[in-house]
Amino acid sequence: MKVLAAVSIRQYEQAAESVRKYFNTIEMGLQILFKKKGQLRDIPAVKTQKKLIMIIFGSGQPMCGQFNEVMASYVSSRLDQGLEDRPTKVVAVGPRITSNMQSKGIGVDEIVQVPGSVHAINDCVEQLVLLLDQWFSEEGYQSVILFNNRPVSQSSFIPVRHRVLPIDQMWLDSIQERSWPTNNLPTYTMDAGRLLSTLIRQYIFVSIYKSFAESLAAEQVAGWSRCISPNKRLRSISRS
């Protein structure tokens, strides 16, 4: 049981690491584009809107301890403290997190299934991206925040959040200000606006993929921690 859990954790951690490397490639693409066409940073695709979508990642299996409760409490606490705007739409990844969110007074509008393997993550990400496309075009949404648990050791995890849209202007500025590693800046033949749109879409895709992979790894950690001694398990929960 422990061995299988450790293997699963490692698979999801490797998926998250791979997508982080791909994220660096997207940053380099944006860097090339902004150095040649700096004014494209002000394209309307990054403007702020009040209508907010929250995507909250829960577990796909039972026997995960306080995995869903930790996540629901984290989101609820940030809302109560005014650290987040009230969402117009909430998406739950996995049905198990739904009751936890509802117990905190947070309704769920859509439920997306938790992928059962690394290979199934792509399909789930595409499902979410299609939902976002629909809501953006039909209902004027532009703000998206992701909440997921992230493993910090083989026996503990922490809840984290990532704002996907609107894109952080400071992040874009930092990309443009970076020095290119060589004296020759690569060029491109695609229309600049179309290239920017493609890069932003890839940025959204990998951001969601990363949350899936981290959440799945953390879920395996939560399940594995139930196999260790009670005292160690209590220390693991208190750190998260």
Side-chain angles (χ1 to χ4, degrees), residues 14-28 206 210:
Q14 287 177 334
E17 179 60 28
S18 296
V19 85
R20 278 191 286 268
K21 291 178 180 179
Y22 186 62
F23 188 83
N24 291 336
T25 302
I26 294 173
E27 286 188 323
M28 294 176 72
V206 299
K210 179 171 170 286

Side-chain angles (χ1 to χ4, degrees), residues 61-151:
Q61 59 184 359
M63 305 298 289
C64 288
Q66 295 187 342
F67 186 89
N68 294 305
E69 176 60 29
V70 166
M71 175 51 58
S73 296
Y74 177 68
V75 175
S76 177
S77 176
R78 290 188 63 86
L79 287 169
D80 291 344
Q81 295 177 53
L83 299 176
E84 307 288 353
D85 293 331
R86 287 283 165 179
T88 312
K89 197 177 290 288
V90 174
V91 180
V93 177
R96 300 179 188 281
I97 189 69
T98 302
S99 60
N100 296 88
M101 300 305 301
Q102 291 173 340
S103 71
K104 304 292 184 182
I106 304 171
V108 172
D109 300 284
E110 296 281 345
I111 299 176
V112 175
Q113 293 302 313
V114 177
S117 67
V118 170
H119 299 295
I121 296 178
N122 269 0
D123 290 340
C124 293
V125 176
E126 289 175 0
Q127 181 182 354
L128 273 174
V129 170
L130 287 174
L131 278 174
L132 295 180
D133 281 343
Q134 178 185 340
W135 293 334
F136 285 5
S137 61
E138 296 178 0
E139 303 179 39
Y141 286 89
Q142 283 276 357
S143 299
V144 180
I145 299 177
L146 310 177
F147 292 91
N148 65 273
N149 287 315
R150 172 192 297 167

Side-chain angles (χ1 to χ4, degrees), residues 157-172:
F157 58 88
I158 58 172
V160 296
R161 55 93 71 181
H162 173 61
R163 191 187 76 182
V164 179
L165 293 173
I167 296 176
D168 186 353
Q169 189 64 46
M170 292 181 63
W171 174 63
L172 294 178

Side-chain angles (χ1 to χ4, degrees), residues 215-227:
S215 181
L216 288 164
E219 181 179 341
Q220 295 297 320
V221 165
W224 181 85
S225 67
R226 293 182 63 86
C227 300

